[in-house]
């Protein structure tokens, strides 16, 4: 109840974020139910149904990632002195965050179920009644247990993940993302200045992934794994390689961001370059990971576009929905994290304003940061995407 | 509107401020002379911070006037007030709000860089100020690696580096221990005196008055001449000194006499008074009797 009360009093932006989580959860739930419908409609094609279910892992992962980010950045779950005085310490607050994540995701799952039933024709009285009845196997009775199990996947995973991420840890001085409820918390927050360590691993994985992809596409074997949309040729190796590149990009994100900041503030910087560069270095851990994920998603999207550009069969609506979900979750995660970073720097910003920094300069600093990241990450994404699409497009 | 006397760098008349309806300042008038160090003392909640924020133009009084160098501050537009604050005023917070990702030296150089000075000269003068405040060896460290007293001194250096006309220090020693407190205050006042910078220093600490030219005592948003604090013997001396300080209208050349000449005597009783509680709260929470 307390979680609901706290949720009711939150600001519109926070509510919007929770609604977006619910929407993502709804989309993923709908995809899962559609695989169920396919499996019911094609009892003999269990391999295909399983493959569809496997492809749902990508939207599920994206949704859970987004939900955890929203739970982490939720202002209601930040330790507050007033709440901790009445017994709501960090531990209780992490439970609250998990509950609100569960509420949002369950809401989404319910919506997914309603839409699914509606499109099947089980619920009547609205337009598009039974619009997809034959696709979703309306002639078969819906196995309730299976549907509920599938629908519970996203809420359970997201709740468990956010509880695990937000669990109160013993406050070590070198934990970047945890903030204690100390008044001067940005001094105790991190050991700033130490670069994130994932860059070599990320680059190694990236290179390995590209190599695997190249080799796999040369062998041109056939396997049971097919891309959605019925792509002929079975690029299991290609997919494995692409997954490696994606992981590599996600790992390399923080390091790349840190490097961008470092380059930006090099060589006798003025106030703007200094603040922008150091800000990037400071926020590299926070922003870098979602940026890397977005980069991976972008390169995947580019590869998919080149792949389907030829005379391949058209992409189905469910594939589009899945792709949109993944891309949307990646973008929204980055946006959420950016907002979180902005809130975390509110103290610094007010100190700068007190020093007489014009607001235009602060905006310029933010723009400079975003511009640098775009200039560095954009071409990188493009290159990786080109390299990844090269073997696929043959 | 009466033009203020010419020799006052800051002049305020009958300031009235309420925070959400509860009165914070009720008719405070004062003048701050060029180059002097004015201590604004009083217990917690007596309106010191509000007075400082009014004087530097962060907060507009509901009634009353604030003049800076014969220009009215209370009629300025927010943009002009912001520029005034940036160019002529310095501000020191109770907590050193440093930019965490910059080193101490860069923190001090930042105001100069923001005003368009080149990287090299800002760094050089930041270095000078850090050396002057005895923290030259911290210049390359980040704020998180510094002690609180060092951070506060960095904040003071940052306020001094632009050589403003007036520095407003709002309880600059609040988070510090006693030894650091005396050191930081002495650093600030010495630097201000040697560069002719006017300082308005808010503090609930009676020791501060020893370093100031004049003391202005606030209680519940009014100026008072005497604050009789309980604790009888120990604070008697402090109260006596508060009695000898004058209101803004009349000058008293000997005001800095008792403070400056016998800092040990002033510090002694206050120290023993503070040892009972946390020294911050002892005075603030005590029941006070006043004579206006």
């Amino acid at each position: 109840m307390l979680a609901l009360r706290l949720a009711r009093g939150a600001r519109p932006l926070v509510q919007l974020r929770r609604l977006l989580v619910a929407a993502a959860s709804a989309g993923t739930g709908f995809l899962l139910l559609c695989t169920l419908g396919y499996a019911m409609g094609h009892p003999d094609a269990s391999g295909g149904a399983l493959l569809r279910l496997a492809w749902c892992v990508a939207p599920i992962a994206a949704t859970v990632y987004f939900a955890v980010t929203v739970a982490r950045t939720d202002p209601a779950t930040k330790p507050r002195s007033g709440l901790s005085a009445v017994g709501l310490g960090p531990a209780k607050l992490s439970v609250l965050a998990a509950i609100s994540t569960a509420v949002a995701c369950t809401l989404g799952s319910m919506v997914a179920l309603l839409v699914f039933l509606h499109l099947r024709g089980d619920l009547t009285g609205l337009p598009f009644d039974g619009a997809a009845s034959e696709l979703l196997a309306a002639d078969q009775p819906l196995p309730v247990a299976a549907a509920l199990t599938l629908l519970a996947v996203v809420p359970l995973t997201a709740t468990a993940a956010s509880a695990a991420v937000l669990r109160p840890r013993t406050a070590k001085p070198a934990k970047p993302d945890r903030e204690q409820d100390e008044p001067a918390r940005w001094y105790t927050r991190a050991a700033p200045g130490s670069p994130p360590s994932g860059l070599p691993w990320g680059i190694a994985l990236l290179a390995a992934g590209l190599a695997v992809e190249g080799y796999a596409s040369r062998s041109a074997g056939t396997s049971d794994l097919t891309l959605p949309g019925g792509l002929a040729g079975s690029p299991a190796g290609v997919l494995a390689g692409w997954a490696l590149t994606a992981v590599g990009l996600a790992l390399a994100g923080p390091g790349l961001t840190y490097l961008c900041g470092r380059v930006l503030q090099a060589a006798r910087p003025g106030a703007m370059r200094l603040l922008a560069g150091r800000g990037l270095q400071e926020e590299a851990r926070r922003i870098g990971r979602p940026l890397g994920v977005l980069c991976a998603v972008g390169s995947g999207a580019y590869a998919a576009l080149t792949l389907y550009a030829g005379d391949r069969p058209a992409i189905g609506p469910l594939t589009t929905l899945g792709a949109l979900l993944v891309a949307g979750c990646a973008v929204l995660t980055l946006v959420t994290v950016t907002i979180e970073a902005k809130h975390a720097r509110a103290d610094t910003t007010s100190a700068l304003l007190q020093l007489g920094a014009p607001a235009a300069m602060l905006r310029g600093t933010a723009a400079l940061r975003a511009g640098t990241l775009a200039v560095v990450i954009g071409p990188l994404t493009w290159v990786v995407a080109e390299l990844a699409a090269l073997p696929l497009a043959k | 509107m009466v033009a203020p006397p010419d020799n006052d760098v800051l002049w305020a008349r009958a300031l009235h401020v309420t925070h959400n309806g509860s009165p914070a300042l009720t008719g405070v008038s004062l003048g701050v002379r060029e180059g002097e160090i004015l201590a604004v003392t009083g217990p917690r909640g007596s309106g010191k911070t509000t007075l400082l924020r009014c004087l530097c133009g962060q907060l507009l009084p509901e009634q009353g006037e604030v003049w800076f160098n014969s220009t009215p501050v209370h009629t300025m537009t927010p943009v002009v007030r912001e520029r005034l604050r940036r160019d002529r005023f310095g501000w020191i917070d109770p907590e050193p709000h440093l930019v965490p990702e910059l080193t101490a030296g860069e923190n001090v150089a930042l105001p100069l860089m923001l005003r368009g000075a080149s990287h090299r000269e800002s760094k050089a003068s930041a270095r000078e100020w850090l050396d002057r405040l005895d923290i030259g060896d911290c210049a390359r460290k980040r704020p998180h690696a510094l002690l609180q007293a060092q951070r506060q001194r960095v904040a003071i250096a940052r306020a001094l580096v632009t050589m403003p006309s007036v520095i407003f220090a709002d309880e600059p020693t609040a988070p510090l221990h006693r030894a650091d407190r005396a050191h930081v205050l002495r650093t600030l006042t010495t630097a201000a005196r040697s560069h002719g910078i006017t300082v308005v220093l808010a503090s609930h600490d009676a020791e501060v008055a020893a370093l100031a030219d004049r003391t202005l005592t606030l209680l519940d948003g009014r100026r008072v001449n005497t604050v009789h604090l309980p604790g009888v013997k120990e604070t008697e001396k402090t109260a006596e000194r508060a009695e000898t300080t004058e209101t803004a209208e009349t000058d008293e050349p000997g005001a800095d006499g008792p403070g400056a000449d016998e800092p040990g005597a002033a510090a002694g009783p206050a120290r023993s008074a503070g040892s009972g509680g946390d020294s911050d709260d002892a005075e603030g929470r005590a029941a006070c009797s006043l004579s206006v």
Side-chain angles (χ1 to χ4, degrees), chain B:
Chain B
M1 212 181 269
V2 187
D6 285 342
N7 55 348
D8 281 356
V9 61
L10 265 176
W11 185 81
R13 195 172 69 86
L15 294 176
H16 284 264
V17 177
T18 57
H19 291 317
N20 259 342
S22 59
L25 289 181
T26 45
V28 175
S29 306
L30 81 159
V32 185
R33 270 169 239 120
E34 181 93 44
E36 79 169 343
I37 293 175
L38 173 72
V40 179
T41 61
R44 295 242 165 119
S46 57
K48 303 184 294 289
T49 305
T50 313
L51 178 63
L52 257 62
R53 292 184 63 208
C54 271
L55 287 179
C56 80
Q58 282 185 45
L59 189 71
L60 272 188
E62 283 144 32
Q63 291 172 38
E65 303 166 5
V66 179
W67 294 70
F68 170 70
N69 275 348
S70 307
T71 44
V73 177
H74 53 281
T75 53
M76 286 179 180
T77 60
V79 179
V80 180
R81 263 186 288 139
E82 201 179 303
R83 201 177 309 139
L84 173 77
R85 272 212 304 280
R86 179 165 78 225
D87 297 342
R88 314 302 297 272
F89 294 161
W91 180 274
I92 300 169
D93 269 318
E95 296 240 333
H97 285 297
L98 304 178
V99 182
E101 61 258 23
L102 303 185
T103 63
E106 286 161 344
N107 260 300
V108 177
L110 190 60
L112 291 178
M113 289 192 198
L114 286 174
R115 283 160 179 74
S118 79
H119 183 83
R120 188 191 298 265
E121 42 184 277
S122 336
K123 269 293 184 61
S125 67
R127 190 61 207 232
E128 268 175 38
W129 273 108
L130 285 176
D131 283 338
R132 240 172 263 173
L133 301 193
D134 284 347
I135 36 170
D137 51 336
C138 304
R140 297 186 154 275
K141 289 188 190 163
R142 295 276 179 93
H144 74 97
L146 298 178
L147 302 175
Q148 185 78 344
Q150 290 171 331
R151 284 182 209 146
Q152 192 66 22
R153 259 182 276 167
V154 172
I156 290 175
R158 189 176 67 176
L160 285 166
V161 75
T162 53
M163 302 290 282
S165 309
V166 187
I167 285 186
F168 297 93
D170 180 17
E171 306 248 10
T173 54
L176 302 184
H177 285 179
R178 220 151 248 288
D180 296 332
R181 195 176 283 196
H183 193 159
V184 163
L185 269 182
R186 207 157 296 141
T187 324
L188 170 65
T189 46
T190 315
R193 275 189 212 285
S194 57
H195 290 82
I197 298 173
T198 314
V199 178
V200 184
L201 187 64
S203 176
H204 62 259
D205 195 352
E207 254 176 88
V208 167
L211 294 160
D213 297 331
R214 279 196 300 141
T215 307
L216 181 151
T217 311
L218 287 182
L219 192 60
D220 296 341
R222 300 169 191 282
R223 273 190 75 166
V224 293
N225 292 337
T226 26
V227 181
H228 290 298
L229 294 168
V232 241
K233 275 280 181 196
E234 291 101 327
T235 47
E236 221 170 57
K237 215 154 193 173
T238 319
E240 272 172 22
R241 203 177 58 243
E243 249 163 351
T244 59
T245 57
E246 82 292 33
T247 53
E249 287 78 36
T250 62
D251 190 10
E252 187 195 349
D256 51 350
D261 292 345
E262 39 186 271
R271 188 170 295 135
S272 50
S275 64
D278 187 25
S279 84
D280 300 351
D281 297 336
E283 292 161 309
R285 297 218 181 107
C288 303
S289 66
L290 68 149
S291 65
V292 179

Side-chain angles (χ1 to χ4, degrees), chain A residues 319-354:
Chain A
T319 315
T320 316
L321 176 61
L324 276 182
L325 267 178
V326 172
C329 281
V331 171
L332 286 174
T333 307
L334 185 59
V335 171
T336 313
V337 166
T338 314
I339 294 174
E340 186 201 12
K342 187 183 159 223
H343 282 307
R345 293 177 55 78
D347 263 358
T348 312
T349 313
S350 66
L352 283 173
L353 286 176
Q354 181 92 59

Side-chain angles (χ1 to χ4, degrees), chain A:
Chain A
M1 282 317 283
L2 183 64
L4 290 181
R5 291 224 173 166
L6 284 178
R8 204 183 57 180
R11 284 170 302 139
L13 191 63
V14 180
Q15 305 285 25
L16 179 70
R17 272 188 248 162
R18 287 186 188 137
L19 268 185
L20 285 173
V21 170
S25 161
T28 312
F30 184 72
L31 278 183
L32 284 167
L33 286 179
C34 285
T35 61
L36 180 66
Y38 177 84
M40 287 191 304
H42 308 76
D44 45 344
S46 63
L50 209 59
L51 184 62
R52 279 162 179 259
L53 195 61
W55 271 108
C56 284
V57 168
I60 289 175
T63 308
V64 168
Y65 187 47
F66 179 47
V68 167
T69 310
V70 168
R72 194 160 54 87
T73 57
D74 199 340
T77 63
K78 284 270 176 296
R80 282 181 286 185
S81 52
L83 281 185
S84 101
V86 297
L88 275 176
K92 202 77 183 280
L93 281 176
S94 71
V95 174
L96 277 185
I99 290 177
S100 55
T101 309
V103 167
C105 289
T106 314
L107 181 71
S109 291
M110 289 299 114
V111 171
L113 183 62
L114 285 182
V115 170
F116 179 72
L117 290 180
H118 177 59
L119 287 183
R120 257 168 65 95
D122 293 348
L123 299 175
T124 52
L126 288 170
F128 303 115
D129 261 343
S133 50
E134 77 283 1
L135 179 67
L136 301 176
D139 45 344
Q140 312 260 342
L142 183 70
V144 178
L148 288 187
T149 310
L150 284 181
L151 282 179
V153 166
V154 173
L156 281 185
T157 324
T159 309
S162 62
V165 166
L166 288 174
R167 76 185 186 278
R169 275 165 280 203
T170 44
K172 274 185 265 176
K175 276 278 177 235
D177 280 331
R178 296 292 303 169
E179 295 184 347
Q180 278 74 49
D181 47 353
E182 295 285 325
R185 64 181 176 215
W186 42 269
Y187 287 126
T188 55
R189 185 173 64 194
S194 56
S197 56
L199 190 58
W201 276 107
I203 290 174
L205 279 178
L206 189 65
L210 288 176
V212 165
E213 217 171 329
Y215 274 113
S217 67
R218 189 184 294 175
S219 66
T222 52
S223 75
D224 297 332
L225 202 58
T226 51
L227 285 174
L231 177 70
S234 42
V238 171
L239 274 181
W242 189 83
L244 274 183
T245 36
V247 172
L249 275 176
L251 273 182
L256 277 178
T257 317
Y258 186 85
L259 268 188
C260 287
R262 182 151 194 151
V263 169
L264 198 56
Q265 55 95 45
R268 304 206 170 277
M272 190 186 267
R273 264 202 309 139
L274 185 69
L275 284 174
R278 290 293 170 80
L280 264 190
Q281 281 179 299
E282 177 86 355
E283 300 295 332
R285 286 161 202 273
R286 202 194 296 266
I287 287 183
R289 193 55 50 78
L291 195 66
V293 169
L294 184 65
C295 207
V297 168
S299 71
Y302 184 87
L305 280 184
T306 38
L307 196 57
Y308 288 107
D311 49 354
R312 316 270 190 191
I315 308 174
L318 291 185
T319 315
T320 316
L321 176 61
L324 276 182
L325 267 178
V326 172
C329 281
V331 171
L332 286 174
T333 307
L334 185 59
V335 171
T336 313
V337 166
T338 314
I339 294 174
E340 186 201 12
K342 187 183 159 223
H343 282 307
R345 293 177 55 78
D347 263 358
T348 312
T349 313
S350 66
L352 283 173
L353 286 176
Q354 181 92 59
L355 274 183
M361 201 219 66
L362 292 184
R363 279 196 294 275
T365 309
L368 187 58
R369 256 178 238 156
T372 314
L373 280 184
V375 162
V376 173
I377 302 283
L380 179 80
T381 311
W382 180 76
V383 166
V384 170
E386 274 292 332
L387 286 176
L390 210 56
L392 290 177
K394 271 195 295 195

